[in-house]
């Protein structure tokens, strides 16, 4: 049975897609149009009561929250494809540490920038320039911490690529491609090298090829 | 080896870690971090946790931060000791992770903002933004409605037994019920209320409450 992934056009589902490709797991996608409000349809809310993407369906088994889905498939298919969880319990702990950093510190300002810069015109709302400035400052401080970390470690959790790095791909791609803020990455030597490395992985290039960003400027 | 936990015993995020260690019967030592004095923003602490947040743990050579990462680590490391906090299969584990993510993204920020406005700011002698607090409360009502629906079909968030998913909610709900006067969010919902009564009466949580000397 092939895994179904809902909402492939959007950033969070792309975390799941790139993970599945790294683990050599076949999948199908089901489009969900957020601008049309399809994520708030009663049928969708039965799958994901909080009304966000992605959701995966694997036979009878339904799961939501992209980082939970990634962890599941990375563990389930541990013996095939790329190792994304480290080799020991301790390495896994470090992967969890930096996955949480992505979720708690990196993603919030990124998400605000995405909504403000890429979405506000589509939603008929004015851009909040103060909020954009504030979010950029917050993100800058986080990237400074990443710069320090990546000067000592090739990838976030250690010298091995993991879910922690992978989780950053979708929104950071928006930052460099659609928000005119590539300098935030390029101006930081180790962050830049890390970004070049992870974004050039064939799995990510395949995702970009197959599923274009829905909102461009 | 005794786990060193850097943080304040009354702060929500360290409590998540301490509750987990108590459930798994793992010895720990608390190294208090004085938030009022800004200790968490000083260079020595930033070496431990570069984002200037608590908790941070040190376990021999291993240094970890982010409470939800730490609890996942210890629940996995000591999977055979005490209650199984990760479910009985990979599929159950993923549902635990799902609800941990729900708590982190759909629940925690609302509680944090609300508590900051109506508890923390007044304690500091400042005015909280009541409109913002009310907005958070309204959004929390909707989130709790989803929990009510879910817990009407499932004793605990991830299935039939207590897991990290339930544990992760303990500190924030304690704030809502005991400090923020928001107990109605829980008590007005039959299944949420039963769930809260159950999880907050666990001996590990009660032990932590004793340690916190509220």
């Amino acid at each position: 049975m092939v895994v179904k992934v809902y909402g492939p056009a959007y950033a969070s589902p792309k975390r799941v897609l790139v993970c599945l490709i790294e683990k050599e797991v076949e999948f199908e996608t089901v489009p969900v149009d957020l601008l049309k409000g399809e994520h708030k349809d009663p049928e969708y809310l039965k799958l994901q009561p909080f009304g966000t993407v992605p959701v995966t369906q694997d036979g009878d088994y339904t799961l939501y929250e992209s980082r939970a889905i990634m962890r599941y498939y990375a563990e389930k298919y541990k013996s095939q494809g790329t190792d994304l969880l480290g080799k020991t319990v301790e390495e896994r702990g470090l992967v969890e540490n930096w996955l949480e950093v992505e979720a708690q510190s990196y993603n919030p300002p990124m998400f605000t920038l995405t909504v403000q810069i890429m979405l506000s015109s589509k939603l008929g709302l004015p851009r909040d320039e103060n909020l954009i400035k504030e979010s950029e400052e917050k993100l800058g401080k986080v990237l400074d911490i990443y710069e320090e970390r990546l000067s000592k470690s090739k990838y976030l959790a250690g010298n091995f690529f993991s879910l922690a790095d992978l989780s950053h791909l979708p929104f950071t791609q928006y930052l460099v491609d659609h928000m005119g803020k590539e300098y935030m990455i390029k101006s930081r030597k180790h962050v830049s090298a890390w970004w070049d490395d992870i974004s050039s992985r064939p799995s990510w290039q395949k995702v970009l090829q197959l599923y274009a960003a829905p909102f461009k400027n | 080896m005794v786990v060193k936990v850097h943080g304040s015993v009354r702060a929500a995020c360290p409590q998540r870690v301490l509750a987990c260690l108590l459930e798994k019967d793992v010895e720990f030592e608390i190294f208090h971090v004085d938030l009022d004095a800004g200790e968490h923003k000083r260079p020595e602490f930033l070496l431990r946790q570069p984002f200037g947040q608590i908790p941070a743990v040190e376990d021999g050579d291993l240094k970890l931060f982010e409470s939800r990462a730490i609890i996942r680590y210890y629940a996995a490391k000591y999977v055979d000791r005490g209650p199984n906090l990760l479910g009985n299969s990979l599929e159950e584990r993923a549902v635990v992770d799902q609800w941990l993510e729900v708590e982190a993204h759909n629940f925690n920020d609302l509680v944090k903002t609300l508590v900051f406005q109506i508890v923390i700011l007044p304690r500091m002698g400042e005015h909280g933004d009541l409109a913002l607090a009310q907005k958070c409360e309204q959004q929390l009502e909707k989130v709790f409605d989803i929990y009510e629906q879910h817990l009407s079909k499932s004793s605990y968030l991830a299935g039939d037994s207590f897991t990290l998913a339930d544990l992760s909610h303990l500190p924030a709900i304690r704030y809502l019920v005991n400090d923020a006067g928001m107990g109605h969010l829980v008590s007005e919902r039959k299944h949420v209320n039963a769930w809260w009564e159950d999880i907050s009466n666990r001996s590990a949580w009660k032990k932590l409450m004793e340690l916190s000397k509220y």
Side-chain angles (χ1 to χ4, degrees):
Chain A
M1 190 136 288
V2 176
V3 184
K4 283 191 201 158
V5 185
Y6 285 70
Y10 305 98
S12 301
K14 287 189 169 71
R15 282 193 189 100
V16 173
L17 299 179
V18 69
C19 174
L20 291 173
I21 296 174
E22 289 280 351
K23 299 310 287 178
E24 296 163 9
V25 177
E26 258 200 275
F27 60 88
E28 275 169 14
T29 58
V30 181
V32 179
D33 191 334
L34 299 190
L35 283 178
K36 286 197 187 139
E38 284 177 3
H39 54 311
K40 304 294 179 189
D41 283 347
E43 283 310 302
Y44 189 79
L45 291 175
K46 280 190 199 144
L47 295 175
Q48 214 296 22
F50 299 92
T52 58
V53 288
V55 164
T56 52
Q57 276 180 311
D58 198 339
D60 281 333
Y61 183 59
T62 303
L63 208 51
Y64 53 88
E65 286 296 336
S66 61
R67 296 176 195 83
I69 299 167
M70 286 199 309
R71 285 170 170 112
Y72 172 65
Y73 285 102
E75 184 70 48
K76 182 173 180 178
Y77 294 100
K78 218 173 170 46
S79 58
Q80 68 186 58
T82 315
D83 188 354
L84 296 173
L85 292 169
K87 294 196 164 38
T88 62
V89 171
E90 283 68 33
E91 283 186 353
R92 170 107 196 224
L94 288 161
V95 174
E96 295 290 358
N97 184 142
W98 289 93
L99 241 183
E100 285 294 316
V101 166
E102 184 271 320
Q104 299 289 332
S105 298
Y106 190 85
N107 199 58
M110 268 294 201
F111 188 76
T112 303
L113 286 172
T114 301
V115 171
Q116 287 301 317
I117 298 174
M118 291 173 66
L119 276 178
S120 43
S121 59
K122 305 282 187 298
L123 298 171
L125 296 165
R127 277 166 59 134
D128 184 336
E129 296 298 337
N130 270 340
L131 193 52
I132 291 173
K133 186 163 171 256
E134 226 177 71
S135 297
E136 189 172 333
E137 274 167 20
K138 275 189 193 154
L139 185 62
K141 289 189 180 138
V142 172
L143 285 169
D144 287 343
I145 294 170
Y146 278 34
E147 181 62 16
E148 175 65 39
R149 171 68 183 172
L150 293 165
S151 71
K152 299 190 191 110
S153 172
K154 187 169 185 204
Y155 296 100
L156 287 171
N159 288 323
F160 56 96
F161 178 74
S162 74
L163 286 187
D165 309 288
L166 188 149
S167 200
H168 291 77
L169 286 163
F171 282 97
T172 311
Q173 195 71 52
Y174 278 170
L175 188 79
V176 308
D177 282 353
H178 305 298
M179 296 196 233
K181 297 200 183 291
E182 197 179 12
Y183 59 85
M184 293 189 77
I185 302 295
K186 290 290 172 202
S187 62
R188 294 169 169 90
K189 178 178 166 192
H190 298 94
V191 172
S192 186
W194 167 77
W195 173 250
D196 285 344
D197 181 313
I198 67 173
S199 61
S200 62
R201 291 180 76 88
S203 57
W204 182 241
Q205 289 302 311
K206 187 150 188 214
V207 172
L208 291 178
Q209 214 187 337
L210 293 172
Y211 307 102
F215 338 100
K216 292 182 213 185
N217 260 12
Chain B
M1 184 141 289
V2 176
V3 181
K4 297 181 184 168
V5 182
H6 295 262
S8 167
V9 73
R10 284 190 190 174
C13 299
Q15 285 186 339
R16 208 173 265 123
V17 171
L18 297 170
C20 177
L21 295 175
L22 286 162
E23 289 280 352
K24 299 307 266 181
D25 207 9
V26 175
E27 258 199 278
F28 58 83
E29 198 184 337
I30 300 171
F31 287 76
H32 182 68
V33 176
D34 190 342
L35 300 177
D36 291 331
E39 194 182 333
H40 54 312
K41 303 294 178 189
R42 286 195 212 130
E44 315 86 74
F45 188 79
L46 292 175
L47 284 173
R48 213 173 264 297
Q49 213 290 18
F51 298 88
Q53 296 162 335
I54 51 171
V57 305
E58 201 179 321
D59 193 344
D61 283 334
L62 181 67
K63 295 197 170 97
L64 286 179
F65 52 92
E66 286 297 340
S67 62
R68 295 175 194 83
I70 298 165
I71 61 178
R72 284 175 168 109
Y73 171 70
Y74 283 102
K77 181 173 179 172
Y78 296 106
V79 67
D80 295 324
R81 188 199 287 194
N84 182 356
L85 299 175
L86 290 172
N88 295 310
S89 64
L90 265 187
E91 284 67 34
E92 284 183 24
R93 162 103 202 229
V95 179
V96 174
D97 277 322
Q98 176 188 283
W99 284 96
L100 265 170
E101 292 290 327
V102 166
E103 182 269 320
H105 302 296
N106 295 16
F107 184 83
N108 192 58
D109 284 342
L110 292 172
V111 177
K112 224 163 55 166
T113 305
L114 196 154
V115 168
F116 190 71
Q117 299 304 323
I118 65 182
V119 180
I120 309 294
L121 283 176
R123 262 185 211 166
M124 286 162 40
E126 301 198 31
H127 291 295
D129 183 342
L130 293 179
L132 179 56
Q134 206 178 36
K135 199 170 155 212
C136 288
E137 188 186 343
Q138 282 163 1
Q139 285 174 291
L140 269 172
E141 295 267 14
K142 292 192 185 139
V143 172
F144 270 113
D145 284 341
I146 297 173
Y147 278 50
E148 179 63 14
Q149 184 50 266
H150 181 71
L151 290 166
S152 71
K153 301 187 202 122
S154 180
S155 311
Y156 297 93
L157 289 172
D160 292 328
S161 18
F162 178 80
T163 66
L164 290 186
D166 310 288
L167 182 149
S168 198
H169 288 78
L170 284 161
I173 299 182
R174 190 213 65 79
Y175 264 112
L176 284 179
V177 171
N178 290 13
D179 294 347
M182 291 282 146
H184 67 93
L185 289 170
V186 171
S187 61
E188 283 171 0
R189 293 169 173 84
K190 179 177 167 194
H191 298 95
V192 171
N193 193 56
W195 168 74
W196 169 247
E197 288 298 316
D198 181 310
I199 65 175
S200 58
N201 270 297
R202 289 180 71 87
S203 52
W205 183 248
K206 291 210 286 214
K207 214 184 261 177
L208 180 57
M209 292 299 94
E210 263 171 65
L211 279 174
S212 315
K213 299 192 189 75
Y214 281 113

